[in-house]
Amino acid sequence: MGIFQREDTPEVKGWCPGAHRPMESGDGLVVRVKPWGGRMEAHQVAGVARLAAELGNGLLDLTARANLQIRGVRDHRAVLDGLGALGLLDRDAGAEARRTLMVAPFGDAQVDRVADLLSRALVAAAELSLPSKFGFAVDCGAVPVLRGAAADIRIERGAEGLLVRGDGSDTGAAVTEEDAAEAAVALARWFAASGGITGGRGRMAAHLSHGAEPPARFGAAAALRAGSAPPDDARLAGFAFGQVAAADFARLGALRLTPWRMVLVEDPARLSGISAALRPGDPLLRVDACTGAPGCPQARGATRDLAARLAPRLAPGRHLHVSGCTKGCAHPGAADTVLTACGGGRFDLVRGGRARDMPERRGLTPAEIDGLAL
């Protein structure tokens, strides 16, 4: 499917916000929080909720990279001080940028130990410069659950133990719990040294598909071919479009973040009094929609009211993406149905593709959208 280029193609920043390096949006600064190992204790959850309510606009985003974003921040310095007091702030922007990893939330003690060792190794590798979207996945539980999440280097369980592999490869290096982090960092160094980065950007799967050959050790062990979707777990809860009010977030208690814009709470009883919490199977969890207008200055229309209205019509197993512009920030990958705002309350339609792909129909009105099969 071809790429559709409008004259008003939005600016692609090519990087993600952080705590030290926030991003300006239409509703103020967006500050991203990266909890160590993807885990937050109850006091950290309550503390971040307080920061969002007092120094932001009272809303938090659950991201597809298992992070958390405070929106509408007015006093960046005060937020940094608050995150530091909660133990949720890296020592500097470089350490924060390198420590980009997702951790399987259903893992065991070994998953947590490997994630901790990898986090420490990435913080220590001060000379390692990677694209801001380059990331790691620690997915070495009994069955991999992060195959659908964007990551460039994966620590998984192979047929005979742990392995480290580049995304896009069926093989990896056989490792132990103690040396998995070293191997992952070594593979990242090879990626950078072998030309995987161009203009500050680059992804492992694309680098390998263009013929790059990693060191021989990363072809020695076979990865498990079977993956797994997120299980229907009573501890999982999501929120419409991954956005949660600070007051609701404060009530969740200790939790783990996931790349599915959901949280895994330690005490599922806490979910019973939160009306906005969505349980696995809710069709709204199969709908992605960015902030849209007016919250994003690049959006060409509002998105979430339309997305919420269409969600009940979504066929089982189908995925809908409503995007404010052709960047497709809420879901960079393909979706069954994509509606991309093109101005004047109208949307372009893509089937089985991405927001930036050539639409099969352009400028649909609300009435025409209501007649679509979803």
Side-chain angles (χ1 to χ4, degrees), residues 117-343:
L117 290 170
L118 178 57
S119 296
R120 295 179 188 279
L122 290 170
V123 168
E127 83 294 344
L128 183 60
S129 179
L130 296 169
S132 66
K133 294 182 180 293
F134 192 97
F136 300 77
V138 180
D139 195 17
C140 50
V143 177
V145 297
L146 301 181
R147 292 280 176 88
D152 297 275
I153 294 177
R154 300 177 182 273
I155 302 178
E156 297 178 340
R157 186 168 297 282
E160 298 181 0
L162 301 184
L163 61 83
V164 172
R165 70 178 180 91
D167 190 46
S169 173
D170 292 330
T171 61
V175 296
T176 66
E177 178 182 315
E178 291 72 23
D179 64 11
E182 175 276 326
V185 172
L187 185 56
R189 288 196 177 102
W190 166 81
F191 171 81
S194 61
I197 305 172
T198 301
R201 301 180 188 178
R203 303 306 301 265
M204 179 67 80
H207 191 44
L208 296 179
S209 71
H210 293 153
E213 295 186 6
R217 65 185 290 204
F218 293 98
L224 295 176
R225 293 189 178 276
S228 172
D232 185 2
D233 193 300
R235 298 168 296 167
L236 275 174
F239 297 84
F241 317 122
Q243 192 164 87
V244 53
D248 285 337
F249 191 72
R251 299 170 62 187
L252 294 173
L255 56 81
R256 292 174 181 255
L257 298 174
T258 80
W260 313 301
R261 293 192 172 95
M262 304 179 78
V263 294
L264 183 79
V265 297
E266 290 190 2
D267 180 7
R270 288 179 173 269
L271 299 173
S272 60
I274 304 176
S275 60
L278 305 176
R279 309 316 300 273
D282 192 298
L284 262 175
L285 294 176
R286 292 184 282 112
V287 180
D288 287 309
C290 61
T291 299
C296 175
Q298 301 199 66
R300 304 200 66 206
T303 56
R304 289 183 173 173
D305 286 348
L306 173 62
R309 178 163 60 84
L310 296 177
R313 293 178 41 210
L314 194 59
R318 304 283 287 180
H319 177 200
L320 169 66
H321 178 196
V322 181
S323 183
C325 73
T326 55
K327 287 198 300 182
C329 295
H331 185 74
D336 296 303
T337 302
V338 183
L339 293 168
T340 304
C342 57

